[in-house]
Amino acid sequence: MIPAGFDYHAPRSVADAIKLLGSLPDAKLLAGGHSLLPMMKLRFATPSALIDLGKIPDLRGIAQAGNEIRIGAMTTEHDLLNSKLVAEKLPLLAEGVSQIADPQVRYRGTIGGDISHGDPANDQPALMLALGASFVLTGPKGERVVHVDGHFLGVYSTQAQPDEILTQIRIPVPAPGSGWSYSKFKRKTGDFATAAAAVQLQMKGGTVSKVAIALTNVAMTPIKATQAEQYLVGKAIDDASLNEAARLAMAACSPTHCPRGSPDYKTAMAGEMTRRALQTALSRAKP
Ligand code: FAD
């Protein structure tokens, strides 16, 4: 449980961090350390150097720019949970963050680290999918903005290149009157999800006008339940449509066996979480 030796660098700007990343072979970025350090202690990761992003003030903060909320990648889950702007404009994010791990992990763990880690068991990736976020990736050639759809490529793998830093998360503000829910099934408080569903919902005249459904920990990446979304548009949410949406969400799942359950169990829980998240989102939406 002792990591291999490594050098430590604490740059004061993004530009300096990018230079270090380009010049140090096998270096890794350090954010909150709550995923990276356990992996280093188990020697699953043996970086030659850590580049600590914690001393770069520009990477932290939450602000509104037009119809977007912009969040610095080093903003902690604790900061998100205590943000009035997030509570008011992005209640789905606030609800999801409240279910990540425990206060100690949320105090150090960052939104950028949770997304960059590329773990399908993490909660932020599905929340980002449901919210339609974009990510600012900054590297030696400058900035590029990528959409969350297609960002997660596999377990611990994202579109970000090894010389790029996720610097900012941009989230469009959902339409007024939208409903939301993050329904997470876990074995105990502080645990990763057995399965979870993030729902962002708009209703018009008693039927669904827009819905996003994203699932945690039921495939090699977080996934959208696209067929369930398409099925629901134009329909009322009742027992029949909930059953069919849950069935379609389950059909999108392809989990592997893990300590949290068998593939069949995790799939069944994804269906149930989808059903519950839709019901809760409906109760919060304005018709
Ligand atoms: P780090 O651990 O520092 O980094 C993680 C990875 O991302 C590293 O590879 C690092 O190089 C890379 N990275 C970090 N920041 C950037 C960046 N800005 N740009 C590019 N690459 C970057 N998470 C959940 O979502 N839900 C849970 O229920 C949950 N439960 C947990 C329970 C425990 C007991 C623990 C220890 C962790 C748990 N986690 C959970 C994980 C936790 O949320 C981590 O904080 C998170 O996965 C990683 O964020 P971090 O800031 O700690 O990143």
Side-chain angles (χ1 to χ4, degrees):
M1 295 299 279
I2 297 173
F6 57 88
D7 291 334
Y8 174 82
H9 300 267
R12 297 298 201 267
S13 69
V14 172
D16 286 349
I18 288 167
K19 270 187 216 149
L20 283 166
L21 201 52
S23 63
L24 298 168
D26 301 325
K28 284 239 67 43
L29 298 167
L30 175 68
H34 271 302
S35 291
L36 181 55
L37 295 184
M39 291 187 98
M40 288 171 63
K41 287 182 176 180
L42 293 167
R43 306 232 175 169
F44 291 146
T46 52
S48 61
L50 290 184
I51 302 167
D52 187 350
L53 299 176
K55 302 272 191 308
I56 306 176
D58 289 355
L59 287 179
R60 211 161 160 164
I62 307 164
Q64 182 156 8
N67 201 37
E68 262 180 4
I69 303 298
R70 297 185 168 183
I71 302 171
M74 285 297 288
T75 304
T76 64
E77 311 290 7
H78 173 87
D79 290 343
L80 292 171
L81 204 46
N82 286 283
S83 161
K84 282 193 184 142
L85 192 58
V86 171
E88 189 191 330
K89 304 285 183 185
L90 302 173
L92 173 61
L93 181 60
E95 181 161 279
V97 167
S98 73
Q99 297 175 63
I100 291 179
D102 53 43
Q104 281 173 303
V105 172
R106 291 196 294 264
Y107 197 69
R108 297 279 317 169
T110 65
I111 182 170
D114 200 288
I115 293 165
S116 301
H117 192 47
D119 185 342
N122 275 5
D123 295 295
Q124 285 288 7
L127 293 167
M128 296 298 109
L129 277 172
L131 287 163
S134 297
F135 305 133
V136 181
L137 301 174
T138 309
K141 294 184 195 142
E143 281 184 3
R144 64 185 179 117
V145 181
V146 299
H147 194 262
V148 62
D149 288 333
H151 184 65
F152 300 101
L153 303 177
V155 179
Y156 306 135
S157 173
T158 72
Q159 278 192 88
Q161 296 301 306
D163 60 357
E164 287 180 317
I165 298 174
L166 170 61
T167 47
Q168 191 181 69
I169 294 92
R170 297 180 178 174
I171 304 176
V173 175
S178 299
W180 74 92
S181 174
Y182 191 60
S183 293
K184 176 172 172 175
F185 182 69
K186 54 193 174 186
R187 296 174 303 179
K188 57 178 182 161
T189 299
D191 196 10
F192 289 89
T194 302
V199 166
Q200 187 69 46
L201 175 73
Q202 270 173 250
M203 300 293 291
K204 197 172 176 189
T207 61
V208 174
S209 61
K210 199 173 171 193
V211 63
I213 306 171
L215 304 173
T216 297
N217 211 13
V218 286
M220 302 302 263
T221 64
I223 53 169
K224 287 290 286 293
T226 313
Q227 287 195 331
E229 293 171 347
Q230 287 166 355
Y231 163 78
L232 282 169
V233 172
K235 297 199 171 58
I237 296 186
D238 53 23
D239 284 349
S241 63
L242 280 172
N243 284 342
E244 181 60 5
R247 188 189 70 74
L248 290 169
M250 286 164 63
C253 298
S254 54
T256 52
H257 192 93
C258 87
R260 288 171 186 83
S262 67
D264 284 351
Y265 180 65
K266 289 170 73 173
T267 301
M269 289 306 104
E272 184 56 28
M273 291 306 106
T274 301
R275 190 192 314 268
R276 290 185 194 186
L278 283 166
Q279 279 172 320
T280 304
L282 177 67
S283 72
R284 290 165 167 172
K286 296 223 167 74

